[in-house]
Coordinates of all heavy atoms in Angstrom, one line a residue:
E69 N 12.1 1.5 9.7 CA 13.5 1.8 10.1 C 14.4 1.9 8.9 O 15.3 2.7 8.9 CB 14.0 0.7 11.1 CG 13.3 0.7 12.4 CD 13.6 -0.5 13.3 OE1 14.3 -1.5 12.8 OE2 13.2 -0.5 14.5
R70 N 14.3 1.0 8.0 CA 15.2 0.9 6.8 C 15.0 2.3 5.9 O 15.9 2.9 5.5 CB 14.9 -0.2 5.9 CG 15.8 -0.3 4.7 CD 15.7 -1.6 4.0 NE 16.6 -1.6 2.9 CZ 16.9 -2.6 2.1 NH1 16.3 -3.7 2.4 NH2 17.7 -2.5 1.2
A71 N 13.7 2.6 5.8 CA 13.4 3.9 5.0 C 14.0 5.1 5.8 O 14.5 6.0 5.1 CB 11.9 4.0 4.9
E72 N 13.9 5.1 7.0 CA 14.4 6.2 7.8 C 15.9 6.3 7.7 O 16.5 7.4 7.6 CB 14.0 6.2 9.3 CG 12.5 6.5 9.5 CD 12.0 6.2 10.9 OE1 12.7 5.5 11.7 OE2 10.9 6.7 11.2
R73 N 16.6 5.2 7.7 CA 18.0 5.1 7.6 C 18.5 5.6 6.2 O 19.4 6.4 6.0 CB 18.6 3.7 7.8 CG 18.8 3.3 9.2 CD 19.6 2.1 9.4 NE 19.3 1.0 8.5 CZ 18.5 0.1 8.8 NH1 17.9 0.0 10.0 NH2 18.2 -0.9 8.0
K74 N 17.7 5.3 5.2 CA 18.0 5.7 3.8 C 17.8 7.2 3.6 O 18.5 7.8 2.8 CB 17.2 4.9 2.8 CG 17.7 3.5 2.6 CD 17.1 2.8 1.4 CE 17.9 1.7 1.0 NZ 18.2 1.6 -0.4
S75 N 16.8 7.7 4.3 CA 16.5 9.1 4.1 C 17.4 10.1 4.9 O 17.5 11.3 4.6 CB 15.0 9.4 4.5 OG 14.9 9.3 5.9
E76 N 18.2 9.5 5.9 CA 19.1 10.3 6.7 C 20.3 10.6 5.9 O 21.0 9.7 5.4 CB 19.5 9.6 8.0 CG 18.3 9.5 8.9 CD 18.7 8.6 10.1 OE1 19.8 8.1 10.2 OE2 17.9 8.5 11.0
P77 N 20.7 11.9 5.7 CA 22.0 12.2 5.1 C 23.1 11.9 6.0 O 23.1 12.2 7.1 CB 21.9 13.7 4.8 CG 20.9 14.2 5.8 CD 20.0 13.0 6.1
S78 N 24.1 11.1 5.4 CA 25.3 10.7 6.3 C 26.5 10.5 5.4 O 26.3 10.3 4.2 CB 25.0 9.5 7.1 OG 24.9 8.4 6.3
N79 N 27.6 10.5 5.9 CA 28.8 10.4 5.2 C 29.1 8.9 4.9 O 29.8 8.6 4.0 CB 30.1 11.0 6.0 CG 29.9 12.5 6.0 OD1 29.3 13.1 5.2 ND2 30.5 13.1 7.1
D80 N 28.6 8.0 5.7 CA 28.8 6.6 5.5 C 27.6 5.9 4.9 O 27.1 4.9 5.3 CB 29.2 6.0 6.8 CG 28.1 6.1 7.9 OD1 27.2 6.9 7.7 OD2 28.2 5.4 8.9
A81 N 27.1 6.5 3.8 CA 25.9 6.0 3.2 C 26.2 4.9 2.3 O 25.3 4.4 1.6 CB 25.2 7.1 2.4
G82 N 27.4 4.4 2.3 CA 27.7 3.2 1.5 C 28.7 3.6 0.4 O 29.2 4.7 0.3
P83 N 29.0 2.7 -0.5 CA 30.0 3.0 -1.6 C 29.5 4.1 -2.5 O 28.3 4.2 -2.7 CB 30.1 1.7 -2.3 CG 28.9 0.9 -1.9 CD 28.4 1.4 -0.6
D84 N 30.4 4.8 -3.0 CA 30.1 5.9 -3.9 C 30.2 5.4 -5.3 O 31.2 4.9 -5.8 CB 31.1 7.0 -3.8 CG 30.8 8.2 -4.7 OD1 29.7 8.2 -5.3 OD2 31.7 9.0 -4.8
F85 N 29.0 5.3 -6.0 CA 29.0 4.7 -7.4 C 28.8 5.9 -8.4 O 28.1 5.7 -9.4 CB 27.8 3.8 -7.5 CG 28.0 2.5 -6.7 CD1 27.2 2.3 -5.6 CD2 28.9 1.6 -7.1 CE1 27.4 1.2 -4.9 CE2 29.1 0.4 -6.4 CZ 28.3 0.2 -5.2
T86 N 29.7 6.9 -8.2 CA 29.6 8.0 -9.2 C 30.2 7.5 -10.6 O 31.1 6.6 -10.5 CB 30.4 9.2 -8.7 OG1 31.7 8.8 -8.4 CG2 29.7 9.8 -7.5
S87 N 29.8 7.9 -11.6 CA 30.3 7.5 -12.9 C 31.7 7.9 -13.1 O 32.1 9.0 -12.6 CB 29.3 8.0 -14.0 OG 29.4 9.4 -14.0
R88 N 32.5 7.2 -13.8 CA 33.8 7.5 -14.1 C 34.1 7.5 -15.6 O 33.4 6.8 -16.3 CB 34.8 6.5 -13.4 CG 34.6 6.5 -11.9 CD 35.6 5.6 -11.3 NE 35.4 5.5 -9.9 CZ 36.2 5.9 -9.0 NH1 37.4 6.4 -9.3 NH2 36.0 5.8 -7.7

Side-chain angles (χ1 to χ4, degrees):
E69 290 169 353
R70 183 173 181 170
E72 287 172 346
R73 278 195 311 270
K74 284 191 164 226
S75 69
E76 291 174 358
S78 67
N79 293 335
D80 59 347
D84 181 14
F85 291 110
T86 57
S87 62
R88 298 181 186 248

